[in-house]
Amino acid sequence: ATDGIRVGIGHDTHRLRPGGPLRLGGIVIPHDRSLVGHSDGDALLHAIVDALLGAAALGDIGQLFPDTDPVNRGRDSAEMLAAARDAVLALGWRIVNLDCVVFAQRPKLLPYRQQIRQRIAEILGIDVECVSVKGKTGEHVGPVGLEEAIEAQCVVLLQKHSA
């Protein structure tokens, strides 16, 4: 039976503005641009939050952290991810694994991938081997390729704790 398994998908897009550094995946990456957002704009962590909330049928990041609430201005996205993790765990789910894709023309993520994986695993309280992060460029077309935005997607698998 698969009633003890849930899959969630998350997606986020944030505009880029001149001036770094770039905050992505819970780490700071030296770069000449930064993400624009009501919080710290970390598109990857936001996609993970939505994937977790979606898998547990708990709504989305906008419900949990509305951009109309001043307390969320400039908020560290790691706090948002920790809150989503806690909400999912409180319902008896455990995080099996997640697979993430970051769409960014620049910077190349490979030099930072392991650090990002470790930070996400640390926030979620899971093994780093359960966190996959991949980078894709925009092939110089569209908002990603023209370096106007960074997008992120995440798929997560949850499993109910056995009784």
Side-chain angles (χ1 to χ4, degrees), residues 1-147:
T2 57
D3 53 342
I5 297 174
R6 295 266 186 93
V7 173
I9 186 167
H11 175 93
D12 198 29
T13 303
H14 279 278
R15 288 179 293 115
L16 284 162
R17 67 175 163 221
L22 180 67
R23 189 165 181 83
L24 192 65
I27 70 164
V28 174
I29 297 172
H31 192 50
D32 61 358
R33 296 174 191 238
S34 59
L35 290 165
V36 178
H38 184 74
S39 66
D40 65 9
D42 192 323
L44 177 52
L45 294 191
H46 294 177
I48 298 169
V49 168
D50 266 351
L52 285 169
L53 295 175
L58 291 172
D60 62 38
I61 194 169
Q63 286 175 270
L64 210 57
F65 301 100
D67 62 9
T68 53
D69 188 341
V71 78
N72 294 321
R73 180 167 300 287
R75 185 176 212 143
D76 184 345
S77 295
E79 291 178 16
M80 297 180 188
L81 183 54
R85 172 206 65 210
D86 291 348
V88 166
L89 297 179
L91 291 178
W93 296 104
R94 76 175 185 86
I95 302 164
V96 177
N97 76 302
L98 50 126
D99 187 15
C100 307
V101 183
V102 175
F103 300 87
Q105 191 63 41
R106 288 185 317 119
K108 294 290 185 200
L109 292 185
L110 189 58
Y112 307 100
R113 184 168 58 191
Q114 189 59 24
Q115 191 181 350
I116 291 170
R117 289 177 65 215
Q118 288 171 336
R119 179 65 179 132
I120 292 167
E122 175 188 341
I123 297 166
L124 294 178
I126 61 177
D127 190 83
V128 71
E129 296 307 314
C130 299
V131 179
S132 170
V133 175
K134 302 180 294 272
K136 300 288 179 190
T137 70
E139 297 294 329
H140 300 285
V141 296
V144 170
L146 297 174
E147 298 185 54

